[in-house]
Amino acid sequence: MTPHAPDAADAPRPRETRSLNVPPTAALGRRCSSRPRRSRGSLSLPAAALPCLLLSAPAQTWTSLGPAPTTGFAGATGRVSALACHPTDPSLYYAAGADGGVWRTNDAGLTWLPLTDHLPTTAIGALALDPTNPAILYAGSGEANFANHSRPGLGLFKSTDGGDTWTVLGAETFSGRCFSRIVINPQDPQTLYAAITQAGGFPQRAAAKNHPGATGPRGVFRSTDGGHTWARLTTLPDLCATDLALNPQAPSTLYAAIGHIFGHADNGVYRSTDGGDTWARLAGSLPSPPTTPLGRISLAIAPGDPARIAALLTRPASASGGSGTFLNAYLSLDTGQSWAAISPSVDQSSYGWFLSTIAFHPTQPDMIFAGGLNLRRRNATAPHTWSTVTPPHVDQHAVAFDASGRLLAGCDGGVYRSPDLGASWVSLNTGLATIQFYPGLSTSPAPTSADFLIGGTQDNGTSRRISSTLTWQHILGGDGGWTQLNPQNPQIVFAEFQGTGNLYRSTSGGTGFTLSSSGLSGRNCFLPPYLIDPAPPPNPQRMLYATERVFVSTNGGLNWSPLSADLTAGAPAAIRALAIAPSSSAYVYAATNDGRVLSSTDGGATFTLRLTDAGTWPRVTRELTVDPLDPLTVYHAGWTYGPAPRLRRSRDGGATWERLDAGGALPDIPINVVAIDPRPQLPTIFAGADDGVYRSINGGQTWKRYGDTLPRTSVTDLILEPTRPPSGRLTAGTQGRGAWNTPIVFCYPDIDDSGSLNVADFGAFLVAFAAGSQQANCDRSTTPPILNVADFSCYLQAYAAGCP
């Protein structure tokens, strides 16, 4: 079985409805304000108080916070990788979030509904509607845009009722790789083809996070039974197939783009005239290696004139991600026999491997749309001229037309629509919650600012939430990264964008920023981590910032100076994670993207190497978490599939480690972040994974998914606020479904392992509590520990929520 393949245990289950059971001596008619009576030095509550407390007990339910959308770019959300429009209903569209799942609108973009939150992954690369029955929808999982955060897929998802229900197909065939295109034979819709690529990243396949299927076969696959079984078309190279087109009038003719982004002698445009059995690379004036090195290739076929084929060609990417510049676009008028350059001047900067799309107008075959950062239109009345028709957000990934002929663009800002072929645009992102958060979210410590949340996002800058609506305020540009709030004055806010030294400070809660990076230099993990010292006594003037070394500021970020030596094994590595112990600023931990974990006991000046097997994930993380009450207890999240540690803990400052994922305790899924609730006697551990959040209430021995309503998306950040009423709050930042939060419920082991607390468990707790047993002590709120009403209250909350 592939890692974390879907099974019955993953299916969402309805929450159990449980009646309230109390001891028969309970005076159920008494008022809820009955006072507790003291017994043997501990507090006990009459059973009559039980219903009152249960009514207000929080459940394990996650709430979406957005943003959907932000106020930037005329109303932006996260990256959309694919679009599909109903052929006759101009109000019905489907959009695929790069890591946000499949969404549907029935009112032309006024509102959106997520359709696949319960499926094994939310990373989507391709959409296709059956041309003979548009209620049949295919979604290919795995985003084929080759970025470090372009996660791999776990199979093909199929719906026969417009997205209401789904079947997972091809998990064994495709897991660990990505779908770039799905095409369907209109004369035989049981026959479909899929273009498959490797997962993205620099170095190669970094985004696959060591998934065992990542090195599986690529190219073009064919199914003749509606997607249930697949076979690779072996006369094509085993390389990334970055696009695929089918002649709708002669569906045995197909065109495949073999566009391995790092370049390959076999890259090029291939054609089959026998349904994919055999293929030949097209030549003519179309560039081909080794004369012209080729990288990613995108294809399109004119719907009304399928003899016309267009190809957008990009130069190969370097090992570090640069050099993938625009080469040219070519047009064939004779099914690929001959080609001519059409020179659209698409801006692909140095990463055409990430943004490349080309499409024909559905009824005007002389009109072509070619996209990179910008979107360019070849004018039908003057085919040798091009116009720039870029929507409000750059980085184009998909072009489509609805049933009324309106142009749609899917980009890093979501979905935009134009009624006039790109002359004007309107955002369709209200309610489309597909933002991709990087690590580094911040909440406000102010009791009156429960709604405040700030975070940095992929290509949508930094935004803040100041009310309970789903619309967030865009406050800083670029790729937004780490954020911090001064705990003594939350009006002082820090935010950044990519690159060393791009750190900004606001004294007005984020309404205006000034550069705050004097003295910073060095290598970075795209978005450098930085921290305000959280340890008592409060000292928000002290901050740490990480490049390949640690820098310190003693004046609130105004100036910086080097504090440590280089913590990596050498260039080009940098520090990707930084953690300060909340109970003692002397203890600092760091992780580097060449696999090192180090610890310091002098505030970050000198470090001791603790691990060298932490993996080479290239970007910033929140993989290190220190117990809030013990500076020597640190957790490391391993962000990987396979045998390498996914979660481990050290109780001695990093000198020795124990695994918390061994023996199947956690599914084989990358763990990205850990949060600790220190209040129980045995602290509760929350683990943010690539498919949601897991919780352990027994020190990491066993784990269960926390809450049914959080989508199966990648959780990149967790913020735990134990003092947020009524019982604490956990906030999650995700890579594709925005931010979410949930109340924290204290939990106890379930005695008979029934899966939820029941009356037997409650009876056992009452006996222990009445006897004054520390077994019934919920928290570490007193020293020495004693039983009190807080212990009883938190058990009731756990019982009401059906813990564990």
Side-chain angles (χ1 to χ4, degrees):
M1 178 178 285
T2 55
H4 205 62
D7 55 35
D10 284 333
R13 294 176 295 176
R15 179 165 298 284
E16 178 187 8
T17 301
R18 300 184 297 117
S19 59
L20 178 65
N21 294 291
V22 296
T25 56
L28 294 178
R30 293 180 182 173
R31 298 177 60 188
C32 291
S33 59
S34 299
R35 291 183 296 172
R37 58 183 176 83
R38 185 173 299 275
S39 173
R40 289 190 295 275
S42 63
L43 284 175
S44 61
L45 289 179
L50 187 60
C52 304
L53 290 169
L54 290 183
L55 288 174
S56 62
Q60 300 171 39
T61 299
W62 290 87
T63 300
S64 174
L65 308 177
T70 73
T71 57
F73 310 103
T77 187
R79 183 163 72 255
V80 164
S81 57
L83 295 166
C85 298
H86 192 281
T88 60
D89 184 348
S91 297
L92 179 53
Y93 316 150
Y94 297 90
D99 214 336
V102 181
W103 296 69
R104 181 181 66 209
T105 177
N106 294 306
D107 52 18
L110 294 177
T111 60
W112 292 89
L113 178 69
L115 304 176
T116 57
D117 284 352
H118 62 289
L119 293 181
T121 181
T122 55
I124 306 295
L127 293 175
L129 290 173
D130 186 328
T132 67
N133 180 4
I136 298 176
L137 171 65
Y138 296 91
S141 67
E143 187 211 355
N145 281 319
F146 302 100
N148 285 315
H149 51 277
S150 294
R151 288 200 302 142
L154 296 174
L156 176 73
F157 307 150
K158 180 179 181 179
S159 174
T160 59
D161 53 13
D164 290 336
T165 61
W166 296 84
T167 303
V168 179
L169 306 172
E172 296 289 341
T173 304
F174 300 120
S175 287
R177 281 148 290 138
C178 306
F179 283 75
S180 61
R181 187 76 68 184
I182 302 167
V183 297
I184 302 168
N185 184 333
Q187 297 176 9
D188 176 14
Q190 289 294 100
T191 298
L192 50 153
Y193 302 84
I196 301 299
T197 75
Q198 67 191 38
F202 302 87
Q204 289 196 51
R205 297 186 178 92
K209 297 182 177 180
N210 300 314
H211 190 291
T215 57
R218 301 154 294 179
V220 177
F221 288 69
R222 178 175 59 199
S223 173
T224 57
D225 57 6
H228 288 270
T229 61
W230 293 84
R232 190 174 79 85
L233 303 180
T234 57
T235 57
L236 279 171
D238 182 5
L239 292 168
C240 291
T242 52
D243 217 337
L244 187 63
L246 178 145
N247 185 329
Q249 298 176 10
S252 60
T253 298
L254 297 100
Y255 301 85
I258 300 299
H260 185 61
I261 67 166
F262 296 98
H264 194 278
D266 291 331
N267 277 3
V269 178
Y270 290 73
R271 182 180 62 195
S272 173
T273 58
D274 54 11
D277 291 338
T278 61
W279 296 80
R281 185 161 60 178
L282 298 176
S285 57
L286 194 67
S288 61
T291 305
T292 304
L294 298 179
R296 180 172 178 171
I297 301 171
S298 296
L299 292 177
I301 191 166
D305 182 5
R308 294 178 181 240
I309 316 297
L312 178 61
L313 277 60
T314 301
R315 293 183 175 89
S318 67
S320 61
S323 305
T325 55
F326 169 73
L327 179 59
N328 212 326
Y330 289 80
L331 176 66
S332 173
L333 304 179
D334 53 9
T335 69
Q337 296 298 114
S338 61
W339 298 81
I342 52 177
S343 305
S345 299
V346 175
D347 182 4
Q348 292 183 305
S349 186
S350 61
Y351 48 102
W353 44 264
F354 174 64
L355 33 85
S356 177
T357 186
I358 193 163
F360 284 91
H361 188 279
T363 61
Q364 302 181 58
D366 280 324
M367 184 177 292
I368 300 172
F369 293 82
L373 270 80
N374 59 350
L375 183 63
R376 297 274 287 168
R377 185 190 67 210
R378 186 175 187 251
N379 301 306
T381 55
H384 297 293
T385 64
W386 292 79
S387 300
T388 299
V389 291
T390 310
H393 201 296
V394 297
D395 290 12
Q396 313 307 310
H397 301 284
V399 172
F401 293 85
D402 69 17
S404 65
R406 294 176 294 187
L407 170 66
L408 275 73
C411 62
D412 275 19
V415 182
Y416 295 85
R417 185 178 63 216
S418 173
D420 46 19
L421 299 176
S424 62
W425 294 88
V426 60
S427 168
L428 302 184
N429 294 320
T430 298
L432 186 61
T434 57
I435 281 284
Q436 296 176 291
F437 277 109
Y438 286 116
L441 290 175
S442 296
T443 58
S444 174
T448 58
S449 300
D451 291 322
F452 186 93
L453 184 61
I454 184 171
T457 64
Q458 190 277 325
D459 208 33
N460 279 289
T462 300
S463 293
R464 65 177 183 177
R465 177 180 186 258
I466 59 174
S467 68
S468 59
T469 69
L470 295 181
T471 301
W472 291 34
Q473 297 175 341
H474 180 265
I475 58 175
L476 192 67
D479 277 86
W482 213 269
T483 65
Q484 289 281 277
L485 268 67
N486 184 320
Q488 293 180 338
N489 179 6
Q491 290 296 106
I492 298 178
V493 176
F494 290 86
E496 69 173 345
F497 57 80
Q498 68 271 27
T500 299
N502 294 319
L503 178 64
Y504 288 79
R505 180 177 185 266
S506 172
T507 58
S508 55
T511 57
F513 285 90
T514 57
L515 192 63
S516 187
S517 59
S518 176
L520 294 173
S521 63
R523 306 186 297 270
N524 64 79
C525 286
F526 190 68
L527 293 161
Y530 61 94
L531 295 169
I532 293 175
D533 191 337
N539 183 16
Q541 294 298 104
R542 186 175 187 270
M543 299 179 66
L544 300 183
Y545 183 103
T547 57
E548 76 274 14
R549 67 199 317 178
V550 176
F551 287 77
V552 64
S553 173
T554 58
N555 57 7
L558 298 180
N559 302 98
W560 299 85
S561 58
L563 179 62
S564 77
D566 187 342
L567 302 187
T568 74
I575 298 168
R576 69 182 178 211
L578 197 63
I580 304 173
S583 61
S584 172
S585 58
Y587 291 84
V588 181
Y589 299 86
T592 68
N593 62 6
D594 55 1
R596 295 178 156 209
V597 172
L598 308 96
S599 66
S600 172
T601 58
D602 58 7
T606 61
F607 282 82
T608 300
L609 182 62
R610 297 301 192 182
L611 294 172
T612 58
D613 64 347
T616 55
W617 178 252
R619 292 288 184 88
V620 66
T621 66
R622 181 106 71 173
E623 68 194 72
L624 293 167
T625 301
V626 188
D627 185 289
L629 303 181
D630 180 6
L632 292 175
T633 297
V634 59
Y635 296 79
H636 178 253
W639 61 264
T640 184
Y641 290 95
R646 296 186 302 284
L647 183 58
R648 48 190 161 179
R649 174 179 58 207
S650 173
R651 301 180 189 270
D652 53 15
T656 61
W657 297 82
E658 59 181 319
R659 290 187 63 162
L660 304 182
D661 62 341
L666 276 167
D668 188 4
I669 193 80
I671 305 298
N672 305 310
V673 60
V674 173
I676 306 299
D677 188 346
R679 293 172 294 173
Q681 282 198 320
L682 193 61
T684 300
I685 311 170
F686 294 92
D690 259 13
D691 70 342
V693 173
Y694 294 83
R695 182 189 59 187
S696 176
I697 60 173
N698 57 11
Q701 298 177 53
T702 59
W703 297 82
K704 291 191 177 182
R705 186 179 296 277
Y706 192 67
D708 296 331
T709 55
L710 185 67
R712 302 295 175 91
T713 190
S714 180
V715 175
T716 56
D717 209 353
L718 289 172
I719 303 173
L720 194 148
E721 300 170 279
T723 60
R724 184 69 68 181
S727 60
R729 183 175 69 180
L730 184 67
T731 299
T734 75
Q735 185 187 284
R737 286 292 275 110
W740 296 69
N741 67 18
T742 183
I744 296 173
V745 181
F746 279 20
C747 283
Y748 291 83
D750 133 46
I751 291 173
D752 60 3
D753 200 29
S754 62
S756 61
L757 294 186
N758 56 36
V759 70
D761 300 305
F762 179 60
F765 172 80
L766 287 179
V767 171
F769 188 88
S773 170
Q774 287 301 310
Q775 189 178 24
N777 198 333
C778 173
D779 56 36
R780 293 190 273 182
S781 61
T782 58
T783 303
I786 62 170
L787 297 183
N788 55 32
V789 69
D791 300 303
F792 200 97
S793 175
C794 73
Y795 183 87
L796 295 181
Q797 292 177 5
Y799 186 87
C803 292

